[in-house]
Amino acid sequence: MRAIREVGARAVFDSNGIPAIEVEIVAEGGVRAAEAAPRGSTTGEFEAYVLEDAAALPTLAAVAPALASVADLVRPALIGRDVCDQRAVDTALRELDGGAWFRRIGGNVAVATSMAVARAGALATGRPLYRHLAAARPSRLPVPMFNIADGAVGSNTVYTEFLLLPTTREPAAALDQGVRVRAALAARLAGKGHRCSDSTQGGWSVDLGGCEPTMELIVSAAEDCGLVGGRDFHLGLDLSGAEFAGPAGYVFPWSANPLSTADLARRYLDWVRTYPLTFLEDAFAPTDEAAWRGLRERLAGRAAVVGDDLFASDAERIDRGVAAGLADGALIKPNQVGTVTQALDALALGARHGISTVVSQRSGENASDFITHLAVAGGADWLKAGGPARMDRVAKFNELLRIAEELSREQPAGETEAASGGRR
Ligand code: 2PG
Ligand code: MG
């Protein structure tokens, strides 16, 4: 037992310059750790509530209600509890809130507190965070997937993420591939006379007139690196379907006319036939369940239909959705659901269902590498942490390199899938 001695909080800025709450935990023996809440831009309707004074945005004063929640509610409930008992702390946070989506204490408060407690618990036990979160030695590591291009603001692919999925399981090789393709894509963009700027998520912000030309250019850039689609890499798309659903159908800016779910499914099938596309995230709005099920059936495993806003990292939603045949994969973002334990439970459930699990960043991030440890501890298939540039993204990928090194030191290479370099 290592008791929590102090729970403090402060307002900080995230990678988009938006105020966020950072919670700091001090535990018996002087252990101290802090974590800040990340923030989504496409947040869906089922995720944990952000407690803030929206009228005060973008100043730090917006964090005042979250600071008050820590001081008045969370601090008294956590002082004296065992910093190493993550599940008990997270249960206490949920009971303290007493409702859904952390509307009382704030999902941002809950997640920052939960992560800071986990970090302090790891320090108290002297174990790496991924080991503190899962007692067993990881049998394999998640594969990094990269946001290689983002639809630029004002472009007709706004909110679309173009993802590169390396096939190698070896983290350093996957990262090498990410940076090489990123550089080759910049050269291709320049060669076509396109302006190329950094996206907020570490890829390139592009305006190429649609999904098809963007996927084509990424494939060409990968080929410039000697990589073969379907062998060395696959492509993924995050469509953020909810953002474009309306009464007349899906009004994606890349389509001249609104698309019915059937039109849209046909378009996706066409892309899967044309490009090495194997990952379709949030292809529809979360409420459009028949469309999810239909697409999954028609793709029949050729590409994974993956739920982000659909599940909002909630184990119950994943359980129901997978049983109903809606998806083959789930994104897990701790701040969607509110606590580290709930995120780990969602990962365990995904594994039990045999679906792909993807631990993911948010667009509003910070320099923490917490999600890397979560992905390793929870046995996630993928780590989606943006492009291989910008410290708020690279910090997560670099930590994966360190963990891989640590694991390979512990056990001779070849004994684990993580160290084997084998293909998934
Ligand atoms: C996503 C993430 C970032 P957001 O949708 O998957 O990759 O974006 O911040 O909107 O959750
Ligand atoms: Mg998404």
Side-chain angles (χ1 to χ4, degrees):
M1 161 92 181
R2 297 285 287 271
I4 294 175
R5 291 281 189 235
E6 192 47 85
V7 182
R10 63 180 66 85
V12 295
F13 286 105
D14 74 10
S15 59
N16 289 325
I18 297 177
I21 182 151
E22 181 174 270
V23 173
E24 187 162 312
I25 300 290
V26 181
E28 202 181 321
V31 164
R32 180 183 293 265
E35 285 286 339
R39 186 189 190 101
S41 60
T42 55
T43 48
E45 55 191 296
F46 302 110
E47 64 175 87
Y49 175 71
V50 178
L51 179 66
E52 65 186 354
D53 176 3
L57 287 171
T59 68
L60 289 173
V63 180
L67 295 176
S69 167
V70 173
D72 302 340
L73 303 172
V74 174
R75 182 178 177 277
L78 293 197
I79 285 191
R81 284 184 182 274
D82 185 358
V83 76
C84 298
D85 192 343
Q86 189 68 35
R87 188 167 288 273
V89 166
D90 289 343
T91 303
L93 289 171
R94 292 179 76 181
E95 283 169 0
L96 180 63
D97 189 78
W101 293 300
F102 288 103
R103 286 194 184 280
R104 178 169 179 237
I105 69 168
N108 48 340
V109 169
V111 80
T113 306
S114 179
M115 293 194 302
V117 166
R119 191 70 90 168
L123 288 172
T125 57
R127 306 168 86 187
L129 179 54
Y130 66 90
R131 267 322 240 285
H132 174 61
L133 294 177
R137 183 182 195 280
S139 59
R140 59 176 200 159
L141 293 176
V143 177
M145 67 164 73
F146 304 107
N147 174 327
I148 210 78
D150 242 347
V153 176
S155 74
N156 71 355
T157 51
V158 66
Y159 294 139
T160 305
E161 290 180 26
F162 298 87
L163 302 160
L164 180 78
L165 280 60
T167 55
T168 174
R169 291 207 65 90
E170 212 278 303
L175 272 158
D176 279 346
Q177 183 182 115
V179 292
R180 286 169 65 218
V181 175
R182 187 174 188 277
L185 182 59
R188 281 268 174 180
L189 285 162
K192 282 182 163 277
H194 289 291
R195 273 182 302 138
C196 167
S197 58
D198 277 302
S199 87
T200 55
Q201 293 192 40
W204 298 120
S205 179
V206 298
D207 183 0
L208 296 177
C211 293
E212 288 99 336
T214 311
M215 284 191 279
E216 240 148 64
L217 207 67
I218 296 169
V219 170
S220 304
E223 285 169 358
D224 293 344
C225 302
L227 302 167
V228 177
R231 186 192 73 185
D232 303 312
F233 71 93
H234 294 109
L235 295 184
L237 288 177
D238 180 359
L239 283 310
S240 300
E243 301 295 318
F244 304 100
Y250 286 86
V251 191
F252 280 100
W254 41 259
S255 167
N257 304 308
L259 296 166
S260 68
T261 51
D263 295 335
L264 193 50
R266 259 193 300 278
R267 192 74 68 102
Y268 293 146
L269 283 158
D270 202 37
W271 291 349
V272 169
R273 272 192 293 270
T274 313
Y275 306 102
L277 177 65
T278 57
F279 184 97
L280 286 165
E281 178 181 331
D282 281 352
F284 301 101
T287 43
D288 213 348
E289 296 200 354
W292 282 84
R293 194 179 304 109
L295 180 65
R296 191 178 155 271
E297 278 166 13
R298 291 181 68 186
L299 283 169
R302 279 175 291 159
V305 180
V306 182
D308 174 9
D309 293 344
L310 175 70
F311 295 134
S313 306
D314 183 89
E316 265 173 46
R317 291 187 62 80
I318 295 172
D319 204 25
R320 238 181 306 122
V322 173
L326 306 189
D328 311 293
L331 260 79
I332 307 297
K333 301 168 168 173
N335 80 324
Q336 275 182 327
V337 66
T339 65
V340 173
T341 301
Q342 286 167 283
L344 284 166
D345 287 349
L347 283 162
L349 185 84
R352 274 204 300 282
H353 276 298
I355 60 167
S356 293
T357 50
V358 185
V359 167
S360 168
Q361 58 161 14
R362 303 309 304 254
S363 42
E365 268 297 335
N366 51 63
S368 170
D369 53 27
F370 193 97
I371 60 166
T372 308
H373 288 268
L374 179 75
V376 172
D381 296 295
W382 298 97
L383 174 63
K384 183 186 180 207
R390 291 178 58 125
M391 215 53 225
D392 40 313
R393 316 291 148 174
V394 170
K396 281 100 173 137
F397 295 129
N398 280 346
E399 190 66 357
L400 191 63
L401 296 177
R402 294 186 196 100
I403 294 172
E405 185 188 311
E406 192 166 275
L407 290 173
S408 70
R409 263 202 312 265
E410 273 177 27
Q411 211 163 313
E415 279 198 42
T416 68
E417 216 186 318
S420 73
R423 295 191 186 283
R424 43 197 312 105

